[in-house]
Amino acid sequence: IAASHTTLTAGDALYLRGVARSTWRFFEQFVTEEDHWLPPDNFQEDPAPVVARRTSPTNIGLALLAGVSARDLGYVGLLELLERTEFTLESVQSLERFNGHLLNWYDTGTLEPLSPRYVSTVDSGNLAGHLLVLKQACLEAVDGPLLSRDVLSGFADTLVCLNAECAKLRTGSHWAGVELLDRLRSESASCRTAIESTPGSLEAWSERLERIGDLSGAIVDTVDEISATRRPAEVEELRYWAGRLAAQSRSHK
């Protein structure tokens, strides 16, 4: 059977990268030290926010590969990927097992198995497959470039999310502090300019990341000023994406 290829339109690619950036948000927000770097099973939005603080071998494998994908897409640097991976695997090593097999459900807060205790061949098989892919990704990272165009594309994705939130606030043009939003748009445009061309040397990359770091810091400061004039719920998303832009800069630096 001949392989078929589909070329995405620019709009489709932009949409899918937006989905990717929003998906990684789940892992960066919920896979943290508080839960031993193990992913929750799900997050409920309605009728009230609830995090399901339980995990399974499938969830763990997906979190590991989400980190690999986040690095491929430019959302995290290599060091951050390695740290997150190591933290997760250290927690996995401490989990109770049955004849060497992971059980299917654990409390992410206490690491205690959940009842009823059982081994799932499906979930264990999923994790085994995920670990094979993780191994190959780590081997490829050894010989791959430390920094690439993907880093700048990752910044672009986060800027899209930031600008979308800015546009939502901008619709309230009667707001007395609208000039702050204009400043934010200008700073965002400067950051977009800084990621248009790809540096050709490690020294040039260092200078570029320093520039992006300065710009993201200015964006965070402006968002702080905006936040002081609006209700917290109105600017929660804007603050989040400004913070993530700055965090990406630190990760790559």
Side-chain angles (χ1 to χ4, degrees), residues 9-231:
T9 65
D12 287 341
L14 185 66
Y15 169 76
L16 290 173
R17 289 193 67 98
V19 171
R21 186 62 189 87
S22 298
T23 301
W24 174 241
R25 175 179 181 172
F26 172 87
F27 294 96
E28 66 186 355
Q29 187 168 346
F30 295 121
V31 184
T32 63
E33 183 178 9
E34 181 181 2
D35 285 276
H36 299 89
W37 302 97
L38 298 174
D41 185 63
N42 63 79
F43 171 67
Q44 170 188 288
E45 292 184 341
D46 296 315
V50 178
V51 180
R53 300 184 67 189
R54 61 181 182 273
T55 199
S56 68
T58 293
N59 291 339
I60 293 169
L62 287 172
L64 291 169
L65 292 195
V68 171
S69 297
R71 200 254 170 162
D72 288 344
L73 291 166
Y75 305 150
V76 299
L78 180 59
L79 181 59
E80 182 175 348
L81 168 62
L82 294 177
E83 288 179 338
R84 294 181 68 93
T85 301
E86 287 180 351
F87 293 155
T88 297
L89 292 178
E90 285 175 1
S91 293
V92 170
Q93 289 291 339
S94 67
L95 296 176
E96 181 181 329
R97 306 179 185 223
F98 175 77
N99 290 341
H101 296 281
L102 289 177
L103 301 175
N104 206 57
W105 291 109
Y106 298 90
D107 185 303
T108 58
T110 66
L111 300 184
E112 291 297 315
L114 298 178
S115 296
R117 301 185 181 198
Y118 65 97
V119 173
S120 167
T121 55
V122 172
D123 281 76
S124 296
N126 287 341
L127 177 58
H130 295 155
L131 289 174
L132 288 173
V133 177
L134 175 65
K135 174 185 176 181
Q136 189 60 38
C138 291
L139 291 173
E140 290 179 357
V142 173
D143 297 318
L146 181 61
L147 297 161
S148 69
R149 178 69 204 173
D150 294 328
V151 171
L152 303 180
S153 297
F155 282 121
D157 292 346
T158 304
L159 278 172
V160 168
C161 297
L162 176 75
N163 290 333
E165 294 304 320
C166 182
K168 290 178 184 178
L169 289 179
R170 192 67 175 80
T171 56
S173 57
H174 61 281
W175 175 48
V178 71
E179 68 279 359
L180 288 174
L181 287 178
D182 289 338
R183 188 211 298 174
L184 180 60
R185 289 170 63 89
S186 177
E187 292 167 344
S188 176
S190 296
C191 196
R192 168 71 68 172
T193 299
I195 63 176
E196 286 179 352
S197 62
T198 306
S201 68
L202 193 58
E203 181 180 9
W205 266 110
S206 179
E207 294 174 356
R208 183 70 58 83
L209 290 174
E210 193 70 34
R211 170 67 173 157
I212 295 171
D214 291 341
L215 289 169
S216 63
I219 287 173
V220 169
D221 290 341
T222 299
V223 170
D224 285 342
E225 290 187 50
I226 294 172
S227 299
T229 65
R230 304 295 288 259
R231 293 191 299 272

